[in-house]
Structure formats: C-alpha cells, structure tokens
Amino acid sequence: MNVDLHCHSTMSDGALSPAELVRRAARSGVDVLALTDHDHLGGLDEARAAAGEAGIGFIDGVEISVTWREITVHIVGPGIDPSDHELRIGLESVRGGRVERAQAMAASFQSAGIPASFEGAMRFAGNPVMISRTHFARYLVESGVVEDARAAFRSYLVPGKPGYSHFDWTTLANAVGWIGSAGGIAVIAHPGRYSLSAAALADLIAEFGAAGGTGIEVVTGNHSTDEFRLFGALARRHGLLASRGSDFHAPEEGGVELGGLPALDPRLDPVWRKLEF
Ligand code: AMP
Ligand code: MN
Ligand code: MN
Ligand code: MN
C-alpha cells in the first residue's frame, strides 16, 4: 500500500491546489494521502472531496511550525479532526505574524540590493496569510537572482544570510498537545534536516515523548538512504511509530514525487496502523 503522509498545497507553500494535488497523487499511484499544509487546515475539505472522486484514501493533516532551542522544528499531525477548536485557535496563533515577518525579510533583501521582494513573493502565495520562505525562494528564481530553490536556501533565507528574519513559532509541547487534542498522531517531521547532534536529537525525542508525541518520519523526501536506516533504527530503539511522506511541494522544484519514496522497512510500526482512511 502506497501511503504518503506529508505534502503541501497552495493553502501553504505548495504550487498545486488541494484538488490538483490529490489528482496528481492518484495518478502517481498513491493509495492513501494526508494533506499536511503548514499551520493551516483550509485545504482539507477540497482535498477530501477530490480524494473521494479519485478513489483514494484521505487523511486530514497539518504540519506545525515549532521553535525548539532557537531552531525551527516541524511536527506533522496526520489524523487530526479539522473542526477541533483547540487546534484551530492554536494554529491561528502560530500563523499570525507571517506577514510582518515577510516584511522584515523583504527589508533584509532590500539592504542586500534585492528590491520589491515582498510584492514578488506575494505573487506566488496562494494564501497571503501563509506567505513563507518558499514564496521568496520562487521569486528569487523567477527574478534570476539564483538558479533554483536549493540555491535560494543556500545563499539566502537561512540564519546568517540575507532574507532571514528570526521568528518564534510555537512550543513543542503546544504543537504536540493540539494535535493530540484533535485526535491526530504527532510525528517529528524530517528529523535529518535539523543538523542536531546525537545528544540534542535524544533530548528532542525525550521532550517530544514527554509531551505525548509518538511518531517520527523515517522515509521522507528530505532524507538520504542512510538516513532512512538511521531514523528507522532510532524509531525502533525509542518505540516510535514510523512515518513515510514525500513532503511534495511543486512539480518542478527538484523534490520527490507524491508517493515516490521507498516503502517503510517492514520491521517498523507504521503510523497509519493507528489511522482511519
Ligand atoms: P517558513 O515556514 O516560511 O520558514 O518556510 C519553510 C519552508 O521552506 C519549508 O517548509 C520548506 O518548504 C522550505 N525550505 C526550507 N529549507 C529548504 C531547503 N533547504 N530547500 C528547499 N526548501 C526549503
Ligand atoms: Mn514547506
Ligand atoms: Mn517541514
Ligand atoms: Mn512539509
């Protein structure tokens, strides 16, 4: 069964509408899809309806932005009930401030000799309140400042480079709590992307577990084959449910195709054993 529990639509920083995304997933052989837009639930109804039409399983999800020890960590939450009040209020608080942050990013670009980036990035944002670094990256590519999105996140948009502006998201405990309150399963997204030492990673997993978190992404578009093994072993050692998700954003940004990843190691306990679809 091809299960993909992590992807984005135009409701956050993906390039396809929720329905287009679901149709593409069905064409790509996905049997069960979770839409996990950043800090927003607005695409779920459209995606669910499209999944019904396309004849694939669908899981409501979200990816929550967290600040943990000064770094940004993402927690995905497949299986949430999108009508949950605590989750909805929480997400509203996390995403508030994105527009001001984007203005600060644009001011930083301006100082680096790159004008009009706020307006430029906004043109790529399907949902203005969810303006993100991805939209700035698309503008940098469009305006010829960089060759591709990877280069945009190498030379700009990251700590110490033009276009970065520090922002405090929510706490790990809040994100895990909201997902739990909404009946979902909290999953540490792309743990290989945080450049954490083994000790810091162990602390993150311990705090996550103490807050009620039970899952970790093992097979994701952000991981190398070595990391599939590494985080698979970690999931087994800590008794965590394992997840698989492409983190698909757009057809032409060099990422992994929807459903296009290797299967989870059969020795792992998949997150979707606990989910309905
Ligand atoms: P934001 O929530 O505005 O901080 O933007 C975070 C988004 O930027 C992530 O969800 C990714 O889609 C994208 N992103 C972060 N780092 C990279 C990278 N190195 N390459 C491509 N996209 C990235
Ligand atoms: Mn993203
Ligand atoms: Mn993420
Ligand atoms: Mn993501």
Side-chain angles (χ1 to χ4, degrees):
M1 192 172 55
N2 190 333
V3 184
D4 188 331
L5 298 186
H6 188 161
C7 63
H8 299 274
S9 77
T10 45
M11 200 51 67
S12 64
D13 60 350
L16 303 181
S17 71
E20 286 168 338
L21 185 76
V22 167
R23 286 195 289 267
R24 185 181 180 96
R27 280 200 307 275
S28 306
V30 172
D31 298 303
V32 179
L33 184 75
L35 173 62
T36 56
D37 274 313
H38 298 285
D39 309 322
H40 209 291
L41 306 174
L44 295 173
D45 286 350
E46 180 184 318
R48 178 172 287 282
E53 279 168 29
I56 66 170
F58 184 74
I59 293 171
D60 292 307
V62 66
E63 179 174 21
I64 304 183
S65 311
V66 161
T67 299
W68 183 77
R69 295 190 177 171
E70 304 283 300
I71 66 162
T72 298
V73 167
H74 287 168
I75 304 296
V76 280
I80 48 104
D81 170 2
S83 71
D84 183 82
H85 186 67
E86 194 178 326
L87 173 66
R88 297 188 73 88
I89 299 290
L91 293 180
E92 231 176 273
S93 75
V94 186
R95 61 182 181 249
R98 270 192 183 262
V99 172
E100 288 81 353
R101 168 191 184 239
Q103 280 157 348
M105 289 166 62
S108 168
F109 276 122
Q110 182 85 39
S111 313
I114 300 168
S117 63
F118 181 83
E119 297 73 17
M122 268 298 179
R123 279 194 286 104
F124 287 95
N127 179 7
V129 301
M130 288 306 300
I131 181 81
S132 85
R133 288 187 291 158
T134 311
H135 304 117
F136 280 86
R138 289 183 185 138
Y139 172 67
L140 294 181
V141 174
E142 180 202 54
S143 55
V145 174
V146 292
E147 190 103 320
D148 54 29
R150 278 172 69 98
F153 281 94
R154 199 167 46 239
S155 308
Y156 301 93
L157 298 168
V158 291
K161 305 283 183 177
Y164 184 76
S165 174
H166 180 78
F167 192 77
D168 278 318
W169 304 106
T170 193
T171 64
L172 182 62
N174 278 345
V176 173
W178 298 334
I179 291 168
S181 111
I185 297 183
V187 175
I188 298 174
H190 40 64
R193 215 170 78 185
Y194 308 129
S195 310
L196 296 173
S197 67
L201 185 61
D203 289 352
L204 173 65
I205 291 173
E207 280 184 41
F208 173 73
T214 54
I216 191 165
E217 275 186 350
V218 172
V219 173
T220 141
N222 300 278
H223 284 174
S224 64
T225 311
D226 280 349
E227 286 171 325
F228 296 164
R229 269 196 296 276
L230 176 73
F231 290 103
L234 208 73
R236 274 156 53 95
R237 190 170 339 125
H238 293 274
L240 292 164
L241 297 164
S243 194
R244 171 182 187 267
S246 58
D247 204 2
F248 178 90
H249 281 74
E252 269 136 26
E253 284 177 3
V256 167
E257 184 54 65
L258 289 157
L261 290 164
L264 273 190
D265 183 325
R267 292 170 301 176
L268 295 169
D269 190 9
V271 166
W272 53 89
R273 192 172 60 77
K274 305 261 187 186
L275 297 169
E276 280 170 38
F277 44 83

